[in-house]
Amino acid sequence: MKISVIGTGYVGLVTGAVFADMGNEVVGADIDQRKVDRLNEGVMPIYEPGLEEMVRRNQAERRLRFTSDVDWAIQNTEVVFICVGTPPKNGGETDLSFVESVAVKIGKNLNGHKVVVNKSTVPVGTGDFVKKVVLMNKRTDVDFEVVSNPEFLREGSAIADALNPSRVVIGASTEDAAMKVMELYATLEAPVFITDVASAELIKYASNAFLAMKISFINAIANICEKSGANVTEVSKAVGADQRIGPEFLNAGLGYGGSCFPKDVVSLERTARKLGCDFALLREVMKINDGRVDHFISRVTKRFPNMKDCVFGVLGLAFKPNTDDMREAKSVTIIQQLISMGAKIKAYDPVAMDNARDIISDITYCDSAYGCAKDADAIILVTEWREFRLLDMRRLGDLMKSKVMFDGRNFYDPEKKKSMGFEYYGIGKGEI
Ligand code: UGA
């Protein structure tokens, strides 16, 4: 099938690469000429395991190419995926201006029947909006359909998630349009849910908000654990063993970050409000999440009441492992707060330091975790990169001024760390 994917951000790039890999002819279109040039040279704009190899292979086999000529991409394909950003506006509502400008272009370039598939995360009702904009701009008497096909892939495991989705959701108003999109997923062994457009749009937000709620829930439980002597890891393991609850997204820590959960929870709350439904639960989910860094810092402050001239080694800067994405990364606020209290920060991240440099200055970037540990009063683990599990802890501890460790993700085994002489503080495991 001939497909265009408008927008070569996370979702667009991975979607395009995966559809090409499944044998389709894919054009990735983006208005950012520099990005397109680099993609055509095989240089990825993001770090995502397996992506570069997949893109290059499909480019070599001429199933995947990139262009900044969005009009051309639309004119020459039968299925057009909208994969542009939907950032939050100041009030938290979703900014649909990028989606709108693509819809205008689709209208203007409608030269035959096309299925317009919205993969960007958009509030319920956006499908109707896109349809209206295309209709207003079309110059020919040809039909089109607007379908919602939300994406559930995670950064850091995007390729694997796209190839093995938990489900495929297709929201369409006609069977023909639904079938056309379903054809694209025919080779994947995943349950398919065919719904109306509005339900598909809401499924995406309901899923992300529910996962965010699980995280905030376990973080609230972690606070109780700290006061009561319970251990949140034990609690979450046994709670998650109930199949009705499930073990995933029950890791207590510094809270959720990234480009999706924070903005999607707010957006759903605003949508609910607009429709006259008060979703107070979501406000609490956000409040708990927003309080995580302050809570964590208050624990560090208890141990180091006077931070002036204290040196902290921060391990991990990205919002989560296996990505270089710094959007809504907890490292940023943690470091800012520590600096404001007089501390000096050394930091290391396996892949996110280039992006971090644009956001965080006044710290020392190190080329390894050991560099971070040298002369540090404490290590603060913010992002649970796998390579941090393989560290030589004796060497790390010997380099430090004092062997204190704050584990913001409950990544390490407290008993093991204590037996190696570390003063260890996790999340939801006892008071300081
Ligand atoms: C999330 C969803 O998981 C995807 O299904 C969805 O497609 C994507 O948003 C999106 O809407 O585009 P992502 O933001 O890449 O994916 O990352 P997650 O793995 O979901 O992690 C989100 C945040 O929650 C991270 O900051 C992570 O550290 C935190 N988290 C996750 C926890 O604090 N505890 C957990 O148990 C799990």
Side-chain angles (χ1 to χ4, degrees):
M1 213 181 284
K2 285 188 169 184
I3 301 169
S4 53
V5 179
I6 318 296
T8 55
Y10 240 103
V11 170
L13 193 49
V14 173
T15 302
V18 167
F19 280 148
D21 214 47
M22 294 197 289
N24 299 287
E25 222 179 286
V26 180
V27 188
D30 202 297
I31 51 172
D32 184 339
Q33 182 67 53
R34 202 177 111 85
K35 200 172 177 190
V36 168
D37 289 344
R38 289 173 68 81
L39 279 167
N40 279 328
E41 286 159 16
V43 181
M44 299 302 106
I46 48 170
Y47 172 85
E48 183 62 43
L51 180 64
E52 184 172 312
E53 191 271 323
M54 187 181 266
V55 167
R56 287 190 175 193
R57 178 158 36 85
N58 284 283
Q59 280 175 316
E61 289 168 14
R62 300 191 182 283
R63 283 191 300 264
L64 177 62
R65 61 171 141 161
F66 298 96
T67 179
S68 57
D69 190 345
V70 179
D71 296 342
W72 185 91
I74 295 167
Q75 286 163 15
N76 288 282
T77 49
E78 49 188 314
V79 181
V80 183
F81 278 86
I82 305 179
C83 295
V84 291
T86 49
K89 292 192 213 168
N90 279 346
E93 281 170 47
T94 302
D95 179 354
L96 289 174
S97 56
F98 298 119
V99 173
E100 185 176 5
S101 75
V102 175
V104 169
K105 284 198 167 101
I106 294 173
K108 289 192 169 146
N109 291 287
L110 209 63
N111 55 349
H113 181 270
K114 291 186 199 297
V115 178
V116 177
V117 191
N118 198 1
K119 229 184 208 318
S120 299
T121 299
V122 289
V124 57
T126 304
D128 290 342
F129 170 69
V130 167
K131 197 170 176 179
K132 218 162 62 192
V133 177
V134 175
L135 271 175
M136 269 161 47
N137 287 279
K138 79 177 187 152
R139 299 158 174 166
T140 48
D141 189 23
V142 282
D143 271 349
F144 67 97
E145 309 278 352
V146 176
V147 173
S148 166
N149 173 219
E151 184 51 64
F152 301 103
L153 59 80
R154 292 162 298 177
E155 292 187 19
S157 54
I159 297 285
D161 288 348
L163 290 171
N164 305 291
S166 53
R167 74 285 205 201
V168 172
V169 174
I170 301 170
S173 47
T174 68
E175 206 183 313
D176 279 358
M179 288 308 138
K180 187 92 185 158
V181 177
M182 199 162 121
E183 230 180 275
L184 285 169
Y185 292 98
T187 53
L188 302 181
E189 277 176 34
V192 179
F193 294 87
I194 296 182
T195 67
D196 56 276
V197 176
S199 300
E201 290 169 340
L202 198 52
I203 286 166
K204 171 69 190 184
Y205 279 97
S207 304
N208 274 6
F210 192 88
L211 292 170
M213 180 185 74
K214 278 185 95 174
I215 297 169
S216 279
F217 186 89
I218 202 66
N219 282 332
I221 294 287
N223 287 351
I224 301 175
C225 290
E226 281 164 16
K227 299 277 180 209
S228 62
N231 179 332
V232 75
T233 304
E234 302 302 325
V235 173
S236 118
K237 251 194 245 164
V239 169
D242 183 328
Q243 280 182 6
R244 294 168 302 174
I245 298 171
E248 287 185 85
F249 285 70
L250 279 184
N251 295 327
L254 298 166
Y256 57 80
S259 64
C260 305
F261 286 177
K263 87 169 163 59
D264 291 350
V265 176
V266 181
S267 174
L268 182 57
E269 197 273 340
R270 297 294 185 273
T271 301
R273 206 188 294 183
K274 228 166 141 182
L275 295 170
C277 312
D278 184 20
F279 209 155
L281 173 62
L282 290 186
R283 290 199 291 282
E284 202 53 39
V285 168
M286 295 180 234
K287 196 173 137 197
I288 292 169
N289 199 56
D290 290 346
R292 291 314 287 163
V293 167
D294 287 349
H295 178 72
F296 183 74
I297 294 289
S298 74
R299 284 166 66 80
V300 179
T301 318
K302 262 194 194 163
R303 174 61 182 79
F304 293 96
N306 180 8
M307 278 192 203
K308 195 154 162 38
D309 298 328
C310 274
V311 176
F312 294 121
V314 173
L315 296 188
L317 295 165
F319 90 91
K320 68 173 210 174
N322 294 327
T323 179
D324 60 354
D325 198 339
M326 287 295 296
R327 286 176 289 181
E328 300 277 337
K330 297 295 177 184
S331 61
V332 178
T333 34
I334 288 175
I335 289 173
Q336 278 166 350
Q337 290 204 28
L338 293 174
I339 289 177
S340 74
M341 288 186 272
K344 291 197 171 45
I345 305 293
K346 296 166 105 185
Y348 168 72
D349 187 286
V351 301
M353 289 199 289
D354 279 348
N355 288 344
R357 278 192 183 91
D358 295 337
I359 310 169
I360 317 170
S361 48
D362 300 333
I363 70 171
T364 307
Y365 288 95
C366 303
D367 54 15
S368 72
Y370 302 108
C372 246
K374 187 151 178 10
D375 301 326
D377 292 277
I379 281 288
I380 297 179
L381 182 125
V382 175
T383 316
E384 66 278 33
W385 283 90
R386 216 175 81 84
E387 71 168 62
F388 296 152
R389 217 183 269 297
L390 309 172
L391 290 172
D392 177 345
M393 281 295 164
R394 277 190 211 292
R395 182 179 160 204
L396 193 97
D398 288 346
L399 288 164
M400 296 173 71
K401 194 165 138 199
S402 54
K403 285 169 82 169
V404 181
M405 176 177 283
F406 293 92
D407 180 352
R409 299 288 176 182
N410 284 345
F411 186 58
Y412 293 117
D413 177 343
E415 295 317 314
K416 268 196 196 148
K417 291 290 156 286
K418 284 176 194 162
S419 71
M420 295 173 99
F422 278 92
E423 194 183 317
Y424 173 93
Y425 302 104
I427 302 279
K429 304 176 176 189
E431 275 278 42
I432 288 191

